Amino acid sequence: MRELHNVRIGVIGLGYVGLPLAAAFGRLYDTVGFDLDTQRIQQLRDGFDRTLELGTDEIAQSSRLTFSADEAALADCDTFIVTVPTPVDSARRPDLRALCAASRTIGKVLKPGGVVVYESTVYPGCTEEVCVPVLEQESGLKLNVDFFCGYSPERANPGDRNHRLTDIVKVTAGSTPEAADFVDRLYASIITAGTHKTSSIRVAEAAKVIENTQRDVNIALINEIAILFHQLGIDTAEVLEAAGTKWNFLPFRPGLVGGHCIGVDPYYLTHKAQEVGYHPEVILAGRRINDGMGGYVAGRIVQLLLRRGVNPVGARALVLGLAFKENCPDLRNSKVIDIIRRLNQSNLEVDVHDPWVGPEHAMHEHGVQLTTEPKAGDYDVVVLAVGHHQFVKMGADGVRAFGKPGAIVYDVKSLLPRDRVDERL
């Protein structure tokens, strides 16, 4: 394999994963950041990252990085890294269309000696069973004869300023031992936390999906416990605080499980399991519980209204937060929308306020028209759905101020004092 000093890298997909990666490589190597979104490309050329993962100065520091939406810009690259999204479809099956499209784009410009590394989340075997045939068909080249593949699963955590790309150990793998060494050295040149080279691409793929499947199952357990404890009249947060005094108790909390990873990766693993004739039980049970939590919260809100003698039909609700997690604009697979839709089905009038999310983005992704300045004293229900620092700063008094006298406050995140809310998850 060639030396690192003369590599020319193409990063395909400039979202939450691809942009920080392209910026890191662009400080050391000639790098092309490629994305089909021409508006995104122009914004990045202007130094603006709408995901808020990188500041203008951070982009400018990558002096060897260029941005393009033109496939021809990839023609001189010899190392390609794919960071496109891999969601699930409406039937919760892996949606590999973007992955295959990226592979076709690379295949058109792939030359002998080239290396293609995938970072997108997939199931074990996907790189070699799905992506490689596309590369071979488009390029006319043969894997491990004319070109090589690698896999290095992304571990991005949107909005997290304490765990950035270079601070997280990078798992690496290659289609041959030599390719694995090259991929590992390439990432080691930018990852200060170090790398972990695995024996095969399939092992690296599997490691990625179980990282988030493990979290998903643990959160599902706590969500189920929260539902049970509510019926028993026990405050879940207080129980978890008490249990947490034991040294080996895991600090999971109940909540909505959205985002591009935890709420999606288990479906990739179960897809492969069912393909080989194994029907997973624990994994799918966890998914059913977590996918139902938005509906559960909305149902509890309707019950609280009825107990207060308030007709849900025409009642006004304010939902604070739409992003899938705090302090970031990421709407991918946000489960807050499940609360909103279920409340709408019960004929409540729902306003949504999120200072981190752009109005156009909210409308495009979920058909939600954001309320930029909700009025105090206007609402029968206030739902604290996302723990943005702006909402935390308001405190219980600030959140309650949006409601009418006697309004219901539901704290999904358990951020407010127990005696200042009507119910919390």
Side-chain angles (χ1 to χ4, degrees):
M1 303 296 291
R2 62 187 175 281
E3 295 300 320
L4 294 182
H5 65 84
N6 61 355
V7 299
R8 182 172 174 81
I9 299 170
V11 178
I12 292 81
L14 298 176
Y16 286 88
V17 175
L19 177 62
L21 189 70
F25 279 125
R27 294 185 180 99
L28 299 178
Y29 311 105
D30 290 342
T31 303
V32 176
F34 174 83
D35 199 287
L36 294 175
D37 186 340
T38 55
Q39 183 185 53
R40 171 75 164 157
I41 292 298
Q42 187 57 55
Q43 289 174 343
L44 292 174
R45 287 173 176 168
D46 294 338
F48 173 65
D49 170 26
R50 66 188 181 215
T51 70
L52 306 181
E53 291 299 301
L54 295 183
T56 301
D57 292 344
E58 292 175 294
I59 296 174
Q61 289 170 8
S62 301
S63 59
R64 300 174 70 175
L65 171 62
T66 58
F67 299 106
S68 181
D70 185 356
E71 293 180 3
L74 297 169
D76 293 331
C77 296
D78 49 52
T79 302
F80 303 89
I81 303 177
V82 179
T83 58
V84 298
T86 46
V88 291
D89 62 19
S90 59
R92 297 183 175 128
R93 296 169 301 195
D95 182 351
L96 302 176
R97 288 176 296 178
L99 194 68
C100 290
S103 299
R104 285 193 293 271
T105 296
I106 294 169
K108 295 174 184 176
V109 296
L110 186 61
K111 299 179 179 64
V115 177
V116 185
V117 183
Y118 290 87
E119 287 212 4
S120 304
T121 299
V122 292
Y123 51 80
C126 183
T127 298
E128 292 156 305
E129 296 166 8
V130 175
C131 301
V132 166
V134 174
L135 293 171
E136 290 182 331
Q137 181 177 0
E138 291 292 335
S139 67
L141 304 176
K142 185 72 174 175
L143 177 68
N144 295 335
V145 176
D146 305 305
F147 73 96
F148 305 88
C149 269
Y151 187 77
S152 183
E154 59 90 2
R155 283 175 163 173
N157 191 24
D160 188 342
R161 293 295 175 262
N162 296 317
H163 300 92
R164 309 298 293 275
L165 170 68
T166 58
D167 305 321
I168 304 170
V169 173
K170 205 79 166 71
V171 173
T172 65
S175 56
T176 67
E178 295 76 18
D181 287 342
F182 172 79
V183 172
D184 194 69
R185 286 188 290 113
L186 181 65
Y187 279 102
S189 68
I190 63 167
I191 305 296
T192 56
T195 60
H196 178 91
K197 184 171 63 174
T198 62
S199 63
S200 70
I201 288 175
R202 288 167 62 90
V203 168
E205 291 168 327
K208 169 58 179 175
V209 288
I210 72 161
E211 288 174 15
N212 289 314
T213 299
Q214 181 189 67
R215 286 184 55 78
D216 191 46
V217 170
N218 276 286
I219 296 171
L221 171 64
I222 302 301
N223 275 335
E224 188 167 49
I225 285 172
I227 294 171
L228 170 61
F229 285 174
H230 170 76
Q231 295 183 17
L232 296 175
I234 302 173
D235 184 68
T236 303
E238 187 177 358
V239 172
L240 293 175
E241 182 181 359
T245 60
K246 189 181 180 187
W247 74 92
N248 61 351
F249 185 82
L250 302 178
F252 289 95
R253 293 292 182 267
L256 306 176
V257 183
H260 183 60
C261 291
I262 299 179
V264 173
D265 292 6
Y267 288 122
Y268 275 74
L269 185 56
T270 56
H271 168 81
K272 188 63 177 181
Q274 291 168 343
E275 191 177 76
V276 297
Y278 179 76
H279 182 75
E281 297 184 26
V282 173
I283 298 171
L284 288 176
R287 278 284 76 231
R288 285 192 296 271
I289 292 169
N290 287 341
D291 277 344
M293 291 308 292
Y296 170 77
V297 169
R300 288 297 309 150
I301 291 169
V302 170
Q303 290 178 30
L304 290 169
L305 284 170
L306 292 172
R307 289 179 184 176
R308 294 277 178 90
V310 178
N311 188 346
V313 178
R316 300 198 66 204
L318 173 65
V319 176
L320 296 175
L322 181 61
F324 93 88
K325 64 175 291 187
E326 66 277 0
N327 304 326
C328 81
D330 195 348
L331 293 179
R332 292 175 297 174
N333 197 32
S334 172
K335 293 303 179 182
V336 179
I337 193 66
D338 293 347
I339 298 176
I340 296 166
R341 288 171 178 165
R342 189 65 63 87
L343 291 177
N344 282 330
Q345 290 172 3
S346 297
N347 295 308
L348 278 82
E349 297 177 8
V350 183
D351 287 349
V352 184
H353 175 59
D354 193 316
W356 283 83
V357 176
E360 292 183 1
H361 190 34
M363 180 59 68
H364 179 266
E365 290 295 319
H366 294 300
V368 171
Q369 184 172 350
L370 293 179
T371 299
T372 55
E373 296 183 5
K375 295 180 181 180
D378 261 17
Y379 299 95
D380 301 286
V381 178
V382 181
V383 184
L384 180 54
V386 183
H388 293 320
H389 70 80
Q390 292 94 333
F391 302 150
V392 175
K393 186 178 179 180
M394 288 179 186
D397 289 339
V399 171
R400 277 206 167 274
F402 290 117
K404 300 174 182 177
I408 291 167
V409 173
Y410 195 105
D411 183 5
V412 175
K413 300 294 293 183
S414 295
L415 293 173
L416 305 178
R418 180 186 180 189
D419 60 352
R420 299 303 313 280
V421 301
D422 294 274
E423 195 167 300
R424 59 184 185 179
L425 191 57

